[in-house]
Amino acid sequence: MEKRSTYSRLFTVFFRIGLFTFGGGFAMLPLIEKEIVDVHGWARRDEILDIFALAQSVPGAIGVNTAVFIGLRLRGLLGAMAALLGVVTPSIAIILVIARLFSQFQSNLHLLRAFSGVKAAVVGLIAAAAWRAGKNGVVDRFGLLVVGVAFLLSAFAIIPIIWVIVLGGLGGILHYRRKEGVQ
Amino acid sequence: MILFQLFSAFFKIGLFTLGGGYAMLALIQQEIVRYGWMTPQEFVDVVGIAEVTPGPIAVNAATFVGFRTAGVQGALVATGAVVLPSLISVMIVSRVWARYKNSHIVQNMFAGIRPVVVGLVGAAAVLVGLATFRSLSSGIHGLYTLVLGGLTFYGVAFRKWDPIKVLVGAALIGLIVYR
C-alpha cells in the first residue's frame, strides 16, 4: 500500500513539474527543489544541488534526468519509470493536440499574450534558481571564482558545458586536496 | 522502417545531448534534414512549439516530429527513444554516486562542481533574459517585462512563492498587459 502510493505520488509530482516547465530545464529547478525538498522530503537541500549537477552531466534533458534520478532513489527501476512517465505525459498530450491545430494556435492573440507573461516570469525563475543554488553551493572565495569562470565560459559559449563541469570537478579536487594538505 | 529510423535518430539525439535541451536543437535539425522528414521552415515551427509548450524541449520536439512523420505511434516511439539514454545513463551514474559520494575525492569534486552549476544557471538567466527582453521591449511592454521578471525573482528567491502560482499569475497578467 505504502509502496503503491509512492509510485502514484512520483507520477503526479513529476506530471506537475512537466506541466509547468517552460523555456528549458533551468526554469524548472525552483519548482523541483520545492516539490522534492520542501513538500515531499525526498532529498535534502544540500543533496539537490548535487543531483542537478549530475543530471546535467549525463546525456538527456535535465528535467527527465532529475525525474529518473529521484524515482530510482526512492523505488528503483519502477519508481524511475513512474517519474519518467509523469514528466513526459503532459508534453505528449499537449503536443499531440497542438500538432493538429498549430496554425490556429500560432495566431491566437490571447495565447501569445499569456505566453509573453510566462516568458517574462521564466527569466525571474531562472535567476532565482541561480540565486538559491549560489546560497547553498558557494561557501568560499574559491567557489566565487569558479562561479565567475563558469559564467563567462558558458555565457560566451567558449567550451561545451560538459567540459565546464569537468573542469570544476578537477579544480575542486586539486584545490581542496591542497588545502587539506596544509592543515 | 520509419519507426525504426525515428527510434535510432531520437535515441542518438538523447544520447548526445549534454547540458540542456537547447544544445540538442542543432542535432535534431541535422537528423531531421538527413532523413528528409521536414523542411527547414517546418523545423522553425517545431522549435517555436517546443518553446511555448510546457515540458522538456527535447521531449516536445521528439513528440512533434514523431507525430508529423508517423502519427501517434511515431510520437510514442520518438519520445521513448529520446528518454531512453537518460534512463540508462542515470541508472549507471546514480549507482556509482551512491557508492562513492562519501569519499573524500568525490566530495571535493562536488565542492568544485556546485559553483559551476551556479555559474551555468546564472549565464542562462542572463542569456534568456536578454532574448526575452529583446522580443518584449517595445514601449511600455519593456517595463512590464522587467517588472514581471523582477517580481518573480524576488518572490521565488526570497519569499518562497510557489513557482506554479507565479507562472499562472504571470500568464493572466500577460493576457492583460501585453496589448
Side-chain angles (χ1 to χ4, degrees), chain A residues 33 45-50 53 129-147 176, chain B residues 107-119:
Chain A
E33 186 182 333
R45 194 169 305 286
D46 60 319
E47 282 175 323
I48 194 77
L49 198 51
D50 292 353
W131 177 265
R132 300 187 58 121
K135 240 172 59 179
N136 295 316
V138 182
V139 292
D140 52 17
R141 280 228 297 264
F142 172 75
L144 218 52
L145 177 74
V146 174
V147 173
Y176 291 108
Chain B
Q107 287 196 339
N108 288 346
M109 189 177 89
F110 273 102
I113 290 178
R114 278 174 219 135
V116 169
V117 176
V118 179

Side-chain angles (χ1 to χ4, degrees), chain A residues 73-90:
Chain A
R73 191 186 146 107
L74 288 180
R75 284 283 176 257
L77 185 57
L78 282 179
M81 301 295 286
L84 184 60
L85 274 181
V87 88
V88 300
T89 300

Side-chain angles (χ1 to χ4, degrees), chain A residues 19 21 50 60 65 91 102 113, chain B residues 17 49 54-55 60 86 114 178:
Chain A
L19 188 60
T21 295
D50 292 353
N65 290 349
S91 295
F102 182 53
R113 285 174 187 150
Chain B
T17 297
I49 289 179
N60 293 342
S86 292
R114 278 174 219 135
Y178 287 110

Side-chain angles (χ1 to χ4, degrees), chain A residues 7-178:
Chain A
Y7 293 132
S8 65
R9 268 201 318 201
L10 275 169
F11 180 86
T12 41
V13 165
F14 279 99
F15 185 94
R16 207 155 44 215
I17 290 171
L19 188 60
F20 283 95
T21 295
F22 287 93
F26 286 141
M28 92 203 297
L29 297 185
L31 178 56
I32 296 181
E33 186 182 333
K34 187 180 175 83
E35 291 279 343
I36 303 301
V37 178
D38 299 334
V39 179
H40 289 94
W42 286 338
R44 294 196 314 269
R45 194 169 305 286
D46 60 319
E47 282 175 323
I48 194 77
L49 198 51
D50 292 353
I51 292 175
F52 289 156
L54 285 170
Q56 249 184 294
S57 315
V58 299
I62 294 175
V64 175
N65 290 349
T66 309
V68 173
F69 226 108
I70 301 286
L72 263 183
R73 191 186 146 107
L74 288 180
R75 284 283 176 257
L77 185 57
L78 282 179
M81 301 295 286
L84 184 60
L85 274 181
V87 88
V88 300
T89 300
S91 295
I92 297 177
I94 291 169
I95 293 285
L96 285 182
V97 172
I98 286 175
R100 294 161 210 256
L101 314 166
F102 182 53
S103 43
Q104 286 121 291
F105 176 76
Q106 208 180 18
S107 55
N108 185 316
L109 268 181
H110 297 299
L111 271 178
L112 289 180
R113 285 174 187 150
F115 185 66
S116 296
V118 168
K119 260 165 62 178
V122 158
V123 179
L125 278 181
I126 302 177
W131 177 265
R132 300 187 58 121
K135 240 172 59 179
N136 295 316
V138 182
V139 292
D140 52 17
R141 280 228 297 264
F142 172 75
L144 218 52
L145 177 74
V146 174
V147 173
V149 172
F151 178 89
L152 292 174
L153 288 176
S154 131
F156 294 101
I158 295 168
I159 53 175
I161 283 175
I162 184 68
W163 291 112
V164 187
I165 294 175
V166 169
L167 278 179
L170 285 176
I173 291 172
L174 292 174
H175 174 77
Y176 291 108
R177 195 187 54 185
R178 209 193 51 196

Side-chain angles (χ1 to χ4, degrees), chain B residues 64-134:
Chain B
F64 190 81
V65 174
F67 179 76
R68 275 288 173 92
T69 41
V72 174
Q73 253 185 335
L76 295 179
V77 167
T79 309
V82 87
V83 299
L84 194 56
S86 292
L87 195 61
I88 298 169
S89 58
V90 171
M91 279 175 72
I92 296 170
V93 168
S94 68
R95 195 157 295 183
V96 176
W97 184 58
R99 184 139 167 213
Y100 295 107
K101 69 177 170 188
N102 294 323
S103 80
H104 238 50
I105 193 156
V106 170
Q107 287 196 339
N108 288 346
M109 189 177 89
F110 273 102
I113 290 178
R114 278 174 219 135
V116 169
V117 176
V118 179
L120 295 180
V121 181
V126 171
L127 294 180
V128 176
L130 287 175
T132 302
F133 196 70
R134 251 199 306 273

